[in-house]
């Protein structure tokens, strides 16, 4: 798979984690592709931290208004009938009030205890801290959708080495190699991409990975 196919594969699998009626916040980048892959009978309410509840699909160039209607990543967004513009105060109130059923975010690193680093690489410019720190402690379920490695280096570690976004906040990790649940006993491989072997997944993962006898194929 090339880069684009990998992202699509991960987004397609992550879409299966969302349920009809869920109130969802998607992080910038790969997670914003997820609505394209939702089943027809699954309708979710999307929150854009910049002030939209009930955000619609990304508009085409003709209908985009990049001056005013954008998502958290600054990309053109839409607000169809049924959606609403809200203030940042209300938006973060929804997050901090525990009203978000699920958030899907990217990550720089995740560790086997579910701790997350996704906001800064020291020494590099950061456009803004964003809302990830609120989302990962306020959402009922935290899903990480990301590529398994970065330039061949593992991103799923025993312990994060970059500054943390939050401790022990992640419930599920989805990559192009497999699906891993953070459980009390450790990080469990629950699904594997049939294009890879368990040994290849282990080799690309620094974290201690618990592999059950039967691991479902990742679809």
């Amino acid at each position: 798979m090339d880069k684009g196919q990998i992202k699509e594969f991960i987004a397609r699998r992550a879409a299966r984690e969302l349920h009809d009626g869920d109130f969802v916040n998607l992080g910038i980048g790969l997670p914003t592709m997820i609505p394209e892959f939702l089943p027809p009978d699954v309708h979710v309410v999307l929150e854009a931290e910049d002030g939209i509840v009930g955000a619609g699909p990304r508009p085409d160039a003709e209908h985009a208004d990049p001056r005013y209607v954008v998502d958290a990543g600054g990309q053109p967004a839409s607000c169809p009938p049924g959606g609403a513009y809200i203030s940042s105060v209300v938006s973060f109130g929804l997050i901090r009030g525990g009203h978000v059923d699920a958030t899907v975010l990217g990550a720089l690193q995740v560790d086997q205890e579910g701790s997350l680093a996704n906001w800064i690489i020291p020494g590099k410019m950061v456009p803004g801290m964003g809302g990830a720190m609120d989302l990962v402690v306020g959402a009922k379920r935290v899903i990480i959708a990301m590529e398994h490695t970065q330039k061949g280096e593992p991103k799923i570690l025993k312990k994060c080495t970059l500054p943390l976004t939050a401790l022990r906040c992640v419930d599920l990790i989805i990559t192009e190699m497999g699906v891993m649940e953070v459980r009390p006993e450790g990080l469990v491989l629950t699904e594997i991409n049939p294009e890879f072997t368990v040994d290849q997944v282990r080799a690309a993962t620094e974290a201690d990975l618990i592999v059950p006898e039967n691991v479902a194929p990742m679809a």
Side-chain angles (χ1 to χ4, degrees):
M1 288 188 286
D2 61 28
K3 199 85 167 174
Q5 291 172 321
I6 288 173
K7 290 182 177 179
E8 182 176 312
F9 181 80
I10 297 168
R12 187 183 299 277
R13 175 59 187 84
R16 291 171 46 201
E17 295 297 320
L18 304 183
H19 307 290
D20 194 43
D22 277 354
F23 186 72
V24 177
N25 189 299
L26 302 176
I28 61 176
L30 188 158
T32 62
M33 299 170 62
I34 290 172
E36 300 174 36
F37 303 109
L38 288 171
D41 59 341
V42 174
H43 304 280
V44 302
V45 179
L46 295 175
E47 178 199 33
E49 290 156 49
D50 287 11
I52 302 174
V53 165
R58 182 169 295 177
D60 56 32
E62 182 181 354
H63 298 93
D65 185 353
R67 297 171 303 170
Y68 304 116
V69 186
V70 296
D71 63 19
Q75 299 300 311
S78 65
C79 185
Y85 294 100
I86 58 176
S87 71
S88 292
V89 172
V90 173
S91 186
F92 277 86
L94 289 168
I95 295 169
R96 295 171 182 173
H99 302 288
V100 177
D101 293 301
T103 182
V104 187
L105 303 171
L108 297 168
Q109 296 176 340
V110 186
D111 69 28
Q112 62 194 36
E113 295 180 333
S115 296
L116 170 67
N118 76 343
W119 71 282
I120 188 173
I121 297 176
K124 294 193 175 183
M125 191 182 81
V126 180
M129 193 175 291
M133 293 175 182
D134 290 271
L135 281 165
V136 296
V137 298
K140 296 171 185 171
R141 192 159 186 246
V142 177
I143 300 166
I144 298 301
M146 66 174 190
E147 293 182 53
H148 204 97
T149 60
Q150 175 69 33
K151 297 180 179 179
E153 296 298 318
K155 296 174 68 177
I156 305 173
L157 309 174
K158 294 179 186 294
K159 284 282 187 183
C160 291
T161 58
L162 294 173
L164 290 179
T165 304
L167 274 170
R168 299 178 181 177
C169 58
V170 174
D171 297 293
L172 189 73
I173 305 168
I174 300 171
T175 76
E176 75 277 19
M177 300 187 85
V179 178
M180 288 138 280
E181 289 183 9
V182 182
R183 298 180 183 173
E185 64 268 30
L187 191 63
V188 180
L189 181 69
T190 57
E191 296 180 26
I192 186 170
N193 183 340
E195 293 189 14
F196 300 96
T197 66
V198 169
D199 285 344
Q200 287 174 315
V201 177
R202 285 191 189 280
T205 308
E206 185 201 89
D208 295 325
L209 200 58
I210 299 171
V211 182
E213 185 174 346
N214 296 309
V215 182
M218 189 179 178

